[in-house]
Amino acid sequence: MEQTNRQRDPQQQSERREMTRKAISVAWPAMAESFFVTLAGMIDTMMVSAMGSYAVAAVGLTNQPKFIGLTLFFGINIAVSALIARRKGEQRRENANEIMVTALILSTLLCAVISVVFVVFAPQIMILAGSNADTHEAAVEYFRIIMGGTFFNMLTMIINAAQRGSGNTRLSMTTNLTSSIVNVFFNYLLIEGHLGFPAWGIRGAAIATVLGTVVSAGMAVFSLFRPNSYVRIPDILRNKVRATKECLKSIWRLAYNSSLENIAMRVGFLATALLAARLGTDEFAAHNIGMNILGLGFSFADGMQVAAVALTGEALGAGKKKEAREYGGICQRIGFLISVVLAVLLLVGGRWFYSLYFKEAHILDMGVIISRYTMVIVLLQISQIIYTGCLRAAGDVRYTLVCALISVTVIRTVVTLVLVLVFNMGLHGVWLGVLSDQLSRFTLMRRRFRQGKWVDLRI
């Protein structure tokens, strides 16, 4: 018996090492993709910051309304990745192509409506987002251009989600890295005017962002013609694949809950942004850089979440529940190590990071305060996002929706309101609200994951 156990342990260790290598091979392109997208956004903000803190604040005002506009597409992306990963495990390739076709048609119709509404009502939306006399006009112009180019962003998102679900995370990395490079290059040309191009300021930054998404959309579409792609346009044309009601129901069942979850989160994020905007233009500008820092943490978490969705989804599709749990645990451990490294960097380099954007001493002091909060938050953020990915891959989206309602919409909003408006704690109150949200989500997601019931769900 003891000899059998000794023989089994090395075998189990070897299997676990192989699974860890596979998780890293799937995760690193997704992490690199998210990192470079976030980095491009930071560079974008750095270039805009040359015009003053008002410009940083104006661009920051558009973030939450933009993400609210993209909410349905985020939900569809999650559904597409989870469903295609499951179909790959079930070896149902034609159905995977049906899912992608259905998702593209649904997303195109939704995009047409959402783009028109957000462009037409941009002034009213920016007022609701907290714009003032210093930031309103610039925010409206930036927002209209960004939302006018939503189609290219949506197209890239859906195709990349399908490729991620099949385990091809490198395509998404390549398209988004290229998009980021194009964005930064045209920022250089169009914000201050170089090489004979006009100096369009914030308008130039918005146009540069859209041009980046145009390039990435072209690359994403081209990937569907490659022989090694799991979902392919030649297969769709040859087999006359069409959108189906069954696929629409499957997508909507997951996307509906995920979209509601995203909306619930964005309501909480918007409430935080509104309260931060009330503190003043400089405070709001510093707050937005703090959110950029959290975005950097999210980029690594998102990469590990992509791996968790693809690997656990495929394992569940093949009926390997134990393997699905193991992949979730592996992704979690890798994510925790990354979060510790980021926390240490924030501890020692917070002021330096803010000095890349601002020279004013009082804003740098605000940045140090915010960095102290983000170094704690990132430890919770990365873990809870990976747990959420595992639950979504299994189809446990109703639970993640309830968690978002409790944590972001209620806890974060109430804590921030009370600390800022009642106790006048300023930025401390805003970031304690963010911390309360991340802590509650981490607790709820970890508990659900460890219970293990999510592996028994069918989608």
Side-chain angles (χ1 to χ4, degrees):
M1 179 69 72
E2 291 181 4
Q3 184 178 359
T4 302
N5 288 334
R6 283 196 300 269
Q7 291 173 346
R8 187 183 301 145
D9 289 343
Q11 182 180 353
Q12 289 177 344
Q13 291 172 7
S14 176
E15 290 175 354
R16 186 170 293 177
R17 282 195 296 269
E18 182 59 34
M19 293 174 73
T20 301
R21 281 193 290 268
K22 187 174 181 180
I24 293 172
S25 69
V26 174
W28 81 258
M31 284 192 287
E33 168 208 343
S34 294
F35 174 79
F36 284 116
V37 169
T38 304
L39 183 63
M42 290 179 171
I43 295 172
D44 194 46
T45 305
M46 287 179 195
M47 291 177 162
V48 168
S49 69
M51 291 182 282
S53 61
Y54 91 91
V56 176
V59 173
L61 284 167
T62 67
N63 285 337
Q64 297 312 320
K66 176 183 71 176
F67 284 123
I68 289 173
L70 295 174
T71 289
L72 287 173
F73 306 122
F74 290 140
I76 293 171
N77 285 356
I78 291 167
V80 168
S81 287
L83 287 167
I84 288 183
R86 186 69 70 95
R87 298 301 176 261
K88 185 180 180 184
E90 296 168 347
Q91 298 183 359
R92 297 170 60 192
R93 189 169 189 168
E94 186 169 345
N95 188 249
N97 279 307
E98 289 177 351
I99 287 167
M100 191 188 69
V101 170
T102 305
L104 283 172
I105 293 173
L106 173 63
S107 297
T108 300
L109 294 174
L110 290 172
C111 183
V113 175
I114 290 169
S115 295
V116 170
V117 170
F118 276 67
V119 168
V120 171
F121 294 101
Q124 293 84 350
I125 292 170
M126 286 301 97
I127 291 173
L128 291 174
S131 65
N132 55 36
D134 293 339
T135 57
H136 181 74
E137 186 176 340
V140 168
E141 183 175 31
Y142 185 90
F143 187 65
R144 275 182 164 155
I145 295 170
I146 291 294
M147 297 310 295
T150 299
F151 172 78
F152 302 103
N153 198 2
M154 175 276 297
L155 186 61
T156 306
M157 288 166 63
I158 297 298
I159 296 174
N160 283 349
Q163 297 285 21
R164 283 191 193 119
S166 67
N168 180 6
T169 53
R170 296 194 180 194
L171 168 73
S172 189
M173 176 190 71
T174 304
T175 56
N176 282 294
L177 176 57
T178 304
S179 173
S180 298
I181 292 171
V182 172
N183 183 3
V184 171
F185 176 69
F186 279 98
N187 275 343
Y188 171 76
L189 296 179
L190 297 176
I191 291 178
E192 294 184 340
H194 292 97
L195 304 179
F197 283 80
W200 280 342
I202 286 180
R203 181 197 306 170
I207 292 173
T209 300
V210 173
L211 288 174
T213 63
V214 171
V215 173
S216 65
M219 293 175 65
V221 171
F222 180 76
S223 76
L224 297 177
F225 289 91
R226 292 177 179 171
N228 61 346
S229 178
Y230 189 74
V231 284
R232 300 181 68 241
I233 287 178
D235 292 344
I236 291 169
L237 296 176
R238 183 174 59 253
N239 299 323
K240 298 181 180 180
V241 174
R242 299 287 186 269
T244 67
K245 289 184 180 179
E246 291 74 18
C247 288
L248 181 61
K249 289 177 182 178
S250 297
I251 292 169
W252 191 246
R253 191 181 304 116
L254 295 179
Y256 172 75
N257 285 282
S258 296
S259 297
L260 286 180
E261 175 190 343
N262 212 294
I263 289 173
M265 291 170 61
R266 294 301 160 188
V267 168
F269 294 165
L270 182 59
T272 301
L274 285 169
L275 289 166
R278 286 172 56 98
L279 300 176
T281 299
D282 288 348
E283 287 82 357
F284 188 56
H287 170 76
N288 278 315
I289 301 307
M291 296 305 294
N292 280 346
I293 294 173
L294 278 189
L296 191 63
F298 176 81
S299 69
F300 293 103
D302 187 48
M304 294 312 305
Q305 179 180 229
V306 167
V309 169
L311 296 173
T312 58
E314 185 176 346
L316 290 172
K320 300 176 181 178
K321 297 179 181 180
K322 183 179 179 181
E323 186 174 297
R325 292 192 191 96
E326 186 65 31
Y327 272 124
I330 289 169
C331 292
Q332 185 59 236
R333 288 189 288 274
I334 297 171
F336 177 73
L337 291 175
I338 294 171
S339 67
V340 170
V341 173
L342 289 176
V344 172
L345 291 175
L346 287 169
L347 176 64
V348 299
R351 190 177 190 88
W352 171 83
F353 188 83
Y354 267 82
S355 70
L356 298 175
Y357 296 86
F358 308 107
K359 302 302 178 187
E360 298 89 343
H362 69 286
I363 300 182
L364 295 180
D365 290 339
M366 295 177 200
V368 172
I369 293 170
I370 293 171
S371 295
R372 295 295 181 265
Y373 283 108
T374 53
M375 77 176 225
V376 177
I377 291 169
V378 75
L379 294 169
L380 303 168
Q381 176 197 41
I382 292 179
S383 290
Q384 66 90 359
I385 288 173
I386 296 170
Y387 284 135
T388 302
C390 294
L391 299 179
R392 285 172 173 166
D396 199 4
V397 289
R398 188 165 296 176
Y399 179 82
T400 61
L401 166 62
V402 173
C403 287
L405 287 168
I406 293 171
S407 302
V408 190
T409 312
V410 178
I411 294 177
R412 178 176 179 148
T413 303
V414 171
V415 170
T416 308
L417 280 168
V418 171
L419 295 182
V420 173
L421 299 183
V422 178
F423 292 98
N424 297 314
M425 292 182 66
L427 284 173
H428 286 286
V430 170
W431 283 90
L432 283 170
V434 177
L435 178 58
S436 68
D437 156 35
Q438 293 291 342
L439 178 60
S440 57
R441 265 193 286 171
F442 169 80
T443 303
L444 292 169
M445 296 299 180
R446 183 175 183 271
R447 176 177 175 272
R448 187 72 162 190
F449 177 86
R450 290 171 69 88
Q451 284 178 336
K453 296 178 181 178
W454 54 278
V455 298
D456 298 319
L457 298 175
R458 295 187 62 84
I459 58 175

